Amino acid sequence: MEFSVIICTYNRANILSKCLTSLSKQYFPKDHYEVIIVNNNSTDNTEEMALSFAELWPHFQYIMETNQWLSQARNTGSRLANGNLLVFLDDDVIIPETYLDRVAYIHSKFRFP
């Protein structure tokens, strides 16, 4: 797996929905990356909303992290990751359709040992 896209979120279901919608429109093949949603103990409908996107990707993980610190959520996502490269997205970002293509290009062009 080339990438693990990790999105940590807390009580921002509506905003996360927009982020996942933009991620779902990537030109990059969906079977070459995984999506990991780390719910940092939200009390809104984040879980239901996030899981409604699960079928869009062949590799999708959702987990609840009850320790409410961004660093904890990122560490949890990192531990679950299967990709060669970790891509962290904020839950309020809307990315262009070529975002992962560009990440792949930059990684291949300027690969560090």
Side-chain angles (χ1 to χ4, degrees), residues 2 8 22 28 34 36-37 48 51 62 71 77 83 92 98 110:
E2 196 156 343
C8 303
S22 72
F28 198 77
E34 68 181 336
I36 301 171
I37 307 297
E48 295 81 11
L51 292 175
Y62 171 88
S71 60
D92 62 350
T98 57
F110 304 102

Side-chain angles (χ1 to χ4, degrees), residues 4-8 73-75 77-78 86-90 93 99:
S4 294
V5 178
I6 302 168
I7 305 169
C8 303
R74 286 183 177 160
N75 288 338
S78 297
L86 304 184
V87 177
F88 289 94
L89 295 179
D90 288 338
V93 72
Y99 181 80

Side-chain angles (χ1 to χ4, degrees), residues 48-112:
E48 295 81 11
M49 190 285 307
L51 292 175
S52 74
F53 282 83
E55 66 186 37
L56 297 179
W57 290 279
H59 308 286
F60 182 93
Q61 297 186 64
Y62 171 88
I63 189 163
M64 174 72 82
E65 171 55 65
T66 57
N67 191 343
Q68 284 184 301
W69 293 100
L70 181 56
S71 60
Q72 283 294 129
R74 286 183 177 160
N75 288 338
T76 297
S78 297
R79 279 192 296 276
L80 291 173
N82 296 301
N84 295 325
L85 186 67
L86 304 184
V87 177
F88 289 94
L89 295 179
D90 288 338
D91 57 6
D92 62 350
V93 72
I94 296 174
I95 57 175
E97 296 165 333
T98 57
Y99 181 80
L100 290 179
D101 290 321
R102 300 310 299 161
V103 171
Y105 171 77
I106 291 167
H107 185 249
S108 69
K109 184 91 172 150
F110 304 102
R111 187 171 301 214
F112 296 101

